[in-house]
PDB file of all heavy atoms in Angstrom:
ATOM      1  N   GLN A 945      -3.246   3.910  -6.479  1.00  0.00           N
ATOM      2  CA  GLN A 945      -2.369   5.044  -6.183  1.00  0.00           C
ATOM      3  C   GLN A 945      -2.273   5.924  -7.410  1.00  0.00           C
ATOM      4  O   GLN A 945      -1.597   5.566  -8.389  1.00  0.00           O
ATOM      5  CB  GLN A 945      -0.975   4.564  -5.750  1.00  0.00           C
ATOM      6  CG  GLN A 945      -0.068   5.694  -5.293  1.00  0.00           C
ATOM      7  CD  GLN A 945       1.287   5.206  -4.816  1.00  0.00           C
ATOM      8  OE1 GLN A 945       1.789   4.176  -5.269  1.00  0.00           O
ATOM      9  NE2 GLN A 945       1.891   5.926  -3.887  1.00  0.00           N
ATOM     10  N   LYS A 950      -1.254   9.367  -2.296  1.00  0.00           N
ATOM     11  CA  LYS A 950      -1.062   8.206  -1.438  1.00  0.00           C
ATOM     12  C   LYS A 950      -1.891   7.020  -1.901  1.00  0.00           C
ATOM     13  O   LYS A 950      -2.819   7.150  -2.701  1.00  0.00           O
ATOM     14  CB  LYS A 950      -1.412   8.560   0.009  1.00  0.00           C
ATOM     15  CG  LYS A 950      -2.845   8.972   0.239  1.00  0.00           C
ATOM     16  CD  LYS A 950      -3.029   9.374   1.691  1.00  0.00           C
ATOM     17  CE  LYS A 950      -4.420   9.877   1.967  1.00  0.00           C
ATOM     18  NZ  LYS A 950      -4.586  10.309   3.380  1.00  0.00           N
ATOM     19  N   GLU A 964     -15.607  -5.513   2.152  1.00  0.00           N
ATOM     20  CA  GLU A 964     -15.645  -4.082   2.392  1.00  0.00           C
ATOM     21  C   GLU A 964     -15.217  -3.341   1.125  1.00  0.00           C
ATOM     22  O   GLU A 964     -14.429  -3.852   0.351  1.00  0.00           O
ATOM     23  CB  GLU A 964     -14.711  -3.703   3.544  1.00  0.00           C
ATOM     24  CG  GLU A 964     -14.900  -2.312   4.066  1.00  0.00           C
ATOM     25  CD  GLU A 964     -14.386  -2.155   5.486  1.00  0.00           C
ATOM     26  OE1 GLU A 964     -13.892  -3.150   6.052  1.00  0.00           O
ATOM     27  OE2 GLU A 964     -14.487  -1.048   6.021  1.00  0.00           O
ATOM     28  N   MET A 997      -1.807   3.612 -10.495  1.00  0.00           N
ATOM     29  CA  MET A 997      -1.175   2.325 -10.234  1.00  0.00           C
ATOM     30  C   MET A 997      -2.154   1.535  -9.386  1.00  0.00           C
ATOM     31  O   MET A 997      -2.674   2.060  -8.395  1.00  0.00           O
ATOM     32  CB  MET A 997       0.129   2.560  -9.480  1.00  0.00           C
ATOM     33  CG  MET A 997       1.046   1.386  -9.462  1.00  0.00           C
ATOM     34  SD  MET A 997       1.967   1.261 -11.002  1.00  0.00           S
ATOM     35  CE  MET A 997       3.272   0.148 -10.469  1.00  0.00           C
ATOM     36  N   PHE A 999      -2.700  -1.770  -7.082  1.00  0.00           N
ATOM     37  CA  PHE A 999      -1.990  -2.809  -6.338  1.00  0.00           C
ATOM     38  C   PHE A 999      -2.977  -3.839  -5.803  1.00  0.00           C
ATOM     39  O   PHE A 999      -4.017  -3.496  -5.250  1.00  0.00           O
ATOM     40  CB  PHE A 999      -1.241  -2.216  -5.145  1.00  0.00           C
ATOM     41  CG  PHE A 999      -0.120  -1.292  -5.526  1.00  0.00           C
ATOM     42  CD1 PHE A 999      -0.245   0.072  -5.383  1.00  0.00           C
ATOM     43  CD2 PHE A 999       1.072  -1.812  -6.018  1.00  0.00           C
ATOM     44  CE1 PHE A 999       0.786   0.921  -5.729  1.00  0.00           C
ATOM     45  CE2 PHE A 999       2.114  -0.958  -6.367  1.00  0.00           C
ATOM     46  CZ  PHE A 999       1.965   0.412  -6.227  1.00  0.00           C
ATOM     47  N   GLU A1007      -2.970  -9.584  10.258  1.00  0.00           N
ATOM     48  CA  GLU A1007      -2.766  -8.171   9.940  1.00  0.00           C
ATOM     49  C   GLU A1007      -1.893  -7.939   8.723  1.00  0.00           C
ATOM     50  O   GLU A1007      -1.977  -6.890   8.088  1.00  0.00           O
ATOM     51  CB  GLU A1007      -2.119  -7.482  11.147  1.00  0.00           C
ATOM     52  CG  GLU A1007      -2.983  -7.510  12.384  1.00  0.00           C
ATOM     53  CD  GLU A1007      -2.240  -6.998  13.591  1.00  0.00           C
ATOM     54  OE1 GLU A1007      -1.000  -7.063  13.593  1.00  0.00           O
ATOM     55  OE2 GLU A1007      -2.894  -6.532  14.527  1.00  0.00           O
ATOM     56  N   THR A1008      -1.043  -8.879   8.403  1.00  0.00           N
ATOM     57  CA  THR A1008      -0.038  -8.640   7.365  1.00  0.00           C
ATOM     58  C   THR A1008      -0.606  -8.879   5.975  1.00  0.00           C
ATOM     59  O   THR A1008      -1.084  -9.970   5.667  1.00  0.00           O
ATOM     60  CB  THR A1008       1.192  -9.527   7.580  1.00  0.00           C
ATOM     61  OG1 THR A1008       1.734  -9.260   8.862  1.00  0.00           O
ATOM     62  CG2 THR A1008       2.253  -9.249   6.524  1.00  0.00           C
ATOM     63  N   GLN A1009      -0.539  -7.838   5.158  1.00  0.00           N
ATOM     64  CA  GLN A1009      -0.921  -7.945   3.760  1.00  0.00           C
ATOM     65  C   GLN A1009       0.338  -7.893   2.908  1.00  0.00           C
ATOM     66  O   GLN A1009       1.243  -7.109   3.179  1.00  0.00           O
ATOM     67  CB  GLN A1009      -1.857  -6.793   3.359  1.00  0.00           C
ATOM     68  CG  GLN A1009      -3.187  -6.807   4.083  1.00  0.00           C
ATOM     69  CD  GLN A1009      -4.066  -5.644   3.692  1.00  0.00           C
ATOM     70  OE1 GLN A1009      -3.874  -5.012   2.657  1.00  0.00           O
ATOM     71  NE2 GLN A1009      -5.054  -5.355   4.523  1.00  0.00           N
ATOM     72  N   GLY A1012       1.429  -6.858  -4.326  1.00  0.00           N
ATOM     73  CA  GLY A1012       2.006  -7.163  -5.622  1.00  0.00           C
ATOM     74  C   GLY A1012       2.752  -5.965  -6.170  1.00  0.00           C
ATOM     75  O   GLY A1012       2.742  -4.891  -5.571  1.00  0.00           O
TER      76      GLY A1012
ATOM     77  N   SER B1105      -3.863  -0.759  15.838  1.00  0.00           N
ATOM     78  CA  SER B1105      -3.404  -2.142  15.930  1.00  0.00           C
ATOM     79  C   SER B1105      -1.887  -2.186  15.845  1.00  0.00           C
ATOM     80  O   SER B1105      -1.221  -2.664  16.758  1.00  0.00           O
ATOM     81  CB  SER B1105      -4.018  -2.997  14.832  1.00  0.00           C
ATOM     82  OG  SER B1105      -3.517  -4.311  14.902  1.00  0.00           O
ATOM     83  N   ASN B1106      -1.349  -1.724  14.741  1.00  0.00           N
ATOM     84  CA  ASN B1106       0.093  -1.602  14.633  1.00  0.00           C
ATOM     85  C   ASN B1106       0.455  -0.599  13.549  1.00  0.00           C
ATOM     86  O   ASN B1106      -0.414  -0.122  12.811  1.00  0.00           O
ATOM     87  CB  ASN B1106       0.778  -2.963  14.386  1.00  0.00           C
ATOM     88  CG  ASN B1106       0.332  -3.617  13.100  1.00  0.00           C
ATOM     89  OD1 ASN B1106       0.619  -3.131  12.029  1.00  0.00           O
ATOM     90  ND2 ASN B1106      -0.382  -4.735  13.218  1.00  0.00           N
ATOM     91  N   ARG B1108       3.352   0.331  10.471  1.00  0.00           N
ATOM     92  CA  ARG B1108       4.374  -0.256   9.607  1.00  0.00           C
ATOM     93  C   ARG B1108       5.003   0.820   8.745  1.00  0.00           C
ATOM     94  O   ARG B1108       4.344   1.754   8.310  1.00  0.00           O
ATOM     95  CB  ARG B1108       3.757  -1.330   8.711  1.00  0.00           C
ATOM     96  CG  ARG B1108       3.088  -2.408   9.511  1.00  0.00           C
ATOM     97  CD  ARG B1108       2.381  -3.425   8.676  1.00  0.00           C
ATOM     98  NE  ARG B1108       1.748  -4.411   9.569  1.00  0.00           N
ATOM     99  CZ  ARG B1108       1.764  -5.709   9.368  1.00  0.00           C
ATOM    100  NH1 ARG B1108       2.363  -6.201   8.311  1.00  0.00           N
ATOM    101  NH2 ARG B1108       1.189  -6.520  10.212  1.00  0.00           N
ATOM    102  N   GLN B1112       8.900   1.911  -0.971  1.00  0.00           N
ATOM    103  CA  GLN B1112       8.296   1.720  -2.281  1.00  0.00           C
ATOM    104  C   GLN B1112       9.212   2.298  -3.351  1.00  0.00           C
ATOM    105  O   GLN B1112       9.379   3.520  -3.440  1.00  0.00           O
ATOM    106  CB  GLN B1112       6.916   2.381  -2.362  1.00  0.00           C
ATOM    107  CG  GLN B1112       6.207   2.119  -3.686  1.00  0.00           C
ATOM    108  CD  GLN B1112       4.853   2.783  -3.780  1.00  0.00           C
ATOM    109  OE1 GLN B1112       4.559   3.739  -3.067  1.00  0.00           O
ATOM    110  NE2 GLN B1112       3.996   2.288  -4.669  1.00  0.00           N
ATOM    111  N   GLY B1115       7.375   2.779  -9.266  1.00  0.00           N
ATOM    112  CA  GLY B1115       6.714   1.820 -10.126  1.00  0.00           C
ATOM    113  C   GLY B1115       6.594   0.430  -9.556  1.00  0.00           C
ATOM    114  O   GLY B1115       6.247  -0.513 -10.276  1.00  0.00           O
ATOM    115  N   GLY B1117       5.478  -2.195  -5.951  1.00  0.00           N
ATOM    116  CA  GLY B1117       4.609  -2.278  -4.793  1.00  0.00           C
ATOM    117  C   GLY B1117       5.363  -2.008  -3.502  1.00  0.00           C
ATOM    118  O   GLY B1117       6.589  -2.154  -3.441  1.00  0.00           O
ATOM    119  N   TYR B1173      -9.004  -5.882   9.400  1.00  0.00           N
ATOM    120  CA  TYR B1173      -7.825  -5.018   9.509  1.00  0.00           C
ATOM    121  C   TYR B1173      -7.826  -4.042   8.340  1.00  0.00           C
ATOM    122  O   TYR B1173      -7.919  -4.439   7.188  1.00  0.00           O
ATOM    123  CB  TYR B1173      -6.556  -5.854   9.500  1.00  0.00           C
ATOM    124  CG  TYR B1173      -6.417  -6.703  10.735  1.00  0.00           C
ATOM    125  CD1 TYR B1173      -6.660  -8.065  10.694  1.00  0.00           C
ATOM    126  CD2 TYR B1173      -6.041  -6.133  11.949  1.00  0.00           C
ATOM    127  CE1 TYR B1173      -6.538  -8.845  11.832  1.00  0.00           C
ATOM    128  CE2 TYR B1173      -5.921  -6.910  13.084  1.00  0.00           C
ATOM    129  CZ  TYR B1173      -6.175  -8.265  13.020  1.00  0.00           C
ATOM    130  OH  TYR B1173      -6.070  -9.027  14.147  1.00  0.00           O
ATOM    131  N   LYS B1174      -7.686  -2.767   8.645  1.00  0.00           N
ATOM    132  CA  LYS B1174      -7.685  -1.750   7.602  1.00  0.00           C
ATOM    133  C   LYS B1174      -6.355  -1.025   7.594  1.00  0.00           C
ATOM    134  O   LYS B1174      -5.819  -0.671   8.640  1.00  0.00           O
ATOM    135  CB  LYS B1174      -8.808  -0.739   7.841  1.00  0.00           C
ATOM    136  CG  LYS B1174     -10.193  -1.330   7.689  1.00  0.00           C
ATOM    137  CD  LYS B1174     -11.240  -0.250   7.794  1.00  0.00           C
ATOM    138  CE  LYS B1174     -12.621  -0.847   7.618  1.00  0.00           C
ATOM    139  NZ  LYS B1174     -13.683   0.158   7.718  1.00  0.00           N
ATOM    140  N   TYR B1175      -5.849  -0.788   6.409  1.00  0.00           N
ATOM    141  CA  TYR B1175      -4.592  -0.102   6.219  1.00  0.00           C
ATOM    142  C   TYR B1175      -4.871   1.356   5.860  1.00  0.00           C
ATOM    143  O   TYR B1175      -5.559   1.638   4.885  1.00  0.00           O
ATOM    144  CB  TYR B1175      -3.807  -0.753   5.080  1.00  0.00           C
ATOM    145  CG  TYR B1175      -3.014  -1.981   5.463  1.00  0.00           C
ATOM    146  CD1 TYR B1175      -3.549  -2.967   6.271  1.00  0.00           C
ATOM    147  CD2 TYR B1175      -1.722  -2.161   4.984  1.00  0.00           C
ATOM    148  CE1 TYR B1175      -2.817  -4.087   6.622  1.00  0.00           C
ATOM    149  CE2 TYR B1175      -0.970  -3.282   5.326  1.00  0.00           C
ATOM    150  CZ  TYR B1175      -1.529  -4.239   6.134  1.00  0.00           C
ATOM    151  OH  TYR B1175      -0.795  -5.351   6.465  1.00  0.00           O
TER     152      TYR B1175
END
Side-chain angles (χ1 to χ4, degrees):
Chain A
Q945 186 178 29
K950 62 183 177 182
E964 193 158 359
M997 195 80 163
F999 294 106
E1007 298 172 336
T1008 302
Q1009 296 179 19
Chain B
S1105 177
N1106 61 68
R1108 303 176 181 223
Q1112 184 181 21
Y1173 292 105
K1174 293 186 179 180
Y1175 277 44

